[in-house]
Amino acid sequence: MKKGIIIQGSSRSDGDTAMIVAYVKELTGFEIVDLNQKKIQYFDYEFKNKNDDFGDIFKDITQNYQTMIVATPVYWYTMSGIMKVFLDRISDYLYKEKDIGRMLRGKEMGMISCSNDDDNVTEFSLPFSRSAEYLGMQYLDDIHTWVKNKEIPVEVKEKINAFALRIK
Ligand SMILES: Cc1cc2nc3c(=O)[nH]c(=O)nc-3n(C[C@H](O)[C@H](O)[C@H](O)COP(=O)(O)O)c2cc1C
């Protein structure tokens, strides 16, 4: 079984995306990193933020995992701000310490989106699949999920079960 990590990018740690992520963890055994619990500042061309939490998370991913699954709620038809900042900060390791950034090459990325309906936004996955390509990563798959009344509907669980088999 591959070693994977799920990057949870919701603005709440106990919300809908967290529920989906916990279920994916059950199925895959992948670790979770909750970005909402971390201090990660916006990308900064002068790298004044280099001592915040991003570096440790990124180095952990590059050194210890083959597969990175990014999980984001749908906020305003796109990824959460937290997830966008996470993606932006990968640029730190394209400008500086490029050897660490290059370690992403050959790794795998997948993406989970979450809202309250089966209303997948057209091209939602594009920033992820294109970023994976740019970074030399294999883009495995993506899935749109939803939570209703604080429960994962059976049809969503079935979708996730199939997704888990494709990523693990
Ligand atoms: C700032 C914000 C923007 C949102 N925008 C959308 C949207 O564009 N489309 C949609 O279907 N749901 C939207 N929602 C609803 C969330 O996608 C939905 O409640 C999701 O399950 C929340 O996940 P979370 O608990 O992990 O934050 C939005 C919610 C918030 C807080």
Side-chain angles (χ1 to χ4, degrees):
M1 201 182 271
K2 288 182 296 199
K3 218 175 155 209
I5 186 160
I6 309 167
I7 314 295
Q8 183 176 307
S10 171
S11 288
R12 54 182 178 178
S13 297
D14 59 351
D16 299 337
T17 308
M19 194 181 293
I20 298 288
V21 164
Y23 186 59
V24 174
K25 180 184 175 161
E26 249 178 68
L27 297 172
T28 59
F30 289 2
E31 303 289 328
I32 299 170
V33 57
D34 178 5
L35 298 181
N36 192 46
Q37 303 284 339
K38 307 289 181 185
K39 293 269 177 289
I40 302 179
Q41 298 171 62
Y42 296 126
F43 175 77
D44 170 11
Y45 280 99
E46 291 167 20
F47 309 103
K48 288 180 189 152
N49 52 19
K50 64 176 186 290
N51 294 319
D52 71 9
D53 289 339
F54 182 77
D56 284 347
I57 296 171
F58 189 71
K59 285 174 198 158
D60 184 38
I61 294 168
T62 52
Q63 286 162 15
N64 297 315
Y65 297 93
Q66 171 63 18
T67 306
M68 174 172 89
I69 304 298
V70 289
T72 176
V74 179
Y75 290 166
W76 293 106
Y77 308 98
T78 186
M79 72 183 84
S80 65
I82 289 178
M83 183 58 75
K84 180 60 168 55
V85 171
F86 176 82
L87 284 188
D88 285 356
R89 289 294 301 278
I90 294 177
S91 303
D92 287 12
Y93 291 90
L94 304 182
Y95 282 95
K96 291 185 131 196
E97 298 185 80
K98 295 179 191 173
D99 48 324
I100 299 175
R102 285 190 198 111
M103 287 170 72
L104 286 176
R105 291 181 187 166
K107 292 187 188 288
E108 298 162 338
M109 187 194 291
M111 191 275 291
I112 300 168
S113 55
C114 176
S115 72
N116 298 123
D117 275 301
D118 182 7
D119 56 355
N120 201 5
V121 178
T122 314
E123 304 291 16
F124 188 95
S125 62
L126 196 102
F128 300 98
S129 58
R130 295 292 290 271
S131 300
E133 191 185 338
Y134 187 81
L135 294 165
M137 301 177 78
Q138 187 193 344
Y139 191 71
L140 290 177
D141 202 0
D142 49 63
I143 184 177
H144 179 66
T145 64
W146 58 98
V147 170
K148 291 262 188 207
N149 306 318
K150 300 197 186 310
E151 277 188 26
I152 307 175
V154 173
E155 59 179 313
V156 178
K157 282 197 168 171
E158 285 169 0
K159 277 179 80 173
I160 300 172
N161 295 347
F163 175 77
L165 290 177
R166 296 194 294 270
I167 59 168
K168 75 177 183 180

